Amino acid sequence: MARFQEIFPYYFPRNSSDYKFQLELPDNIGGEYGEPLRQGSHSGYIRAHWSTSSTCLAKELNVSRSDFTAMRQDPDSARLFQNAQSTDVYNQLLQWSRTEDLSRIAKCRAVFHSGFDKAGVPVVVCVGKNFPVHLPEHKVLSHCIQVMDPATTREYCLVYFHTTCTGPRKDLNLLQTVFSNAPSRYKTNLKALYSVHASRLQRIMTWWFTVSKAKEVKGKVVNLNSLEQLFTKISQEQLQIPQFILDYDYGIHGSISSSTSDI
């Protein structure tokens, strides 16, 4: 291990001190994978250029630009969707949901159970802004399955808050992935999908998804502009709504009528 610690700074510099080691490398450091090259047989390798300027430390050696050191997509997520049938994807996600530690994702409060609607149907809440899109995709999907799977065994409602979300959203893609690969009961047992504070772009994306990949859901999507409209479907006391959503709705629509939850 000590020998590796000595040579690592030459090929994987982490700071300005490590870059100085590159000055000691010979002119010919071989090909892309370190193989020896004869003079004139290869002219494409890149030599490092050292600069003492504080604004530009150096250009990386060719080895640092190779496929070996390049940033990769989460390998588990990549393998999950590569040439896999939807049932295989779902079964793998379900297995991960039972074996992986997803507590960090659960703390984000992106997907969770939240009471019942006025007909006694259980409610699952999705908060778009809280989706941890920086974490491995397969783990986020597994958490969605972990929360939604028990609810889908019977009729259920899904409330999606698009509040303060802008531009293309990865959380929408994740939810669409769940519905595309999960058993048909996810769609057939869905009573309603309440989309709250949805932008025009989000409504178009949802419509296109239901038309192309989830026709069973098309007639169940209900776009709501305010929490007051939502509370006519689900009592306010049954919903655990993040404070930023309440503040946003109050800033746009003002206070909510006290009689709304009793309709």
Side-chain angles (χ1 to χ4, degrees), residues 96-110:
W96 277 330
S97 73
R98 294 169 177 171
T99 58
E100 294 271 348
D101 180 11
L102 304 175
S103 57
R104 181 182 176 187
I105 300 176
K107 290 178 181 179
C108 296
R109 300 289 287 172

Side-chain angles (χ1 to χ4, degrees), residues 129-161:
K129 188 176 181 180
N130 288 353
F131 268 76
V133 295
H134 59 287
L135 295 180
E137 181 177 333
H138 78 280
K139 288 194 173 184
V140 180
L141 287 169
S142 296
H143 175 64
C144 291
I145 296 291
Q146 184 183 60
V147 175
M148 296 181 64
D149 200 70
T152 62
T153 57
R154 52 172 291 190
E155 192 175 39
Y156 73 104
C157 294
L158 185 63
V159 178
Y160 172 73
F161 289 103

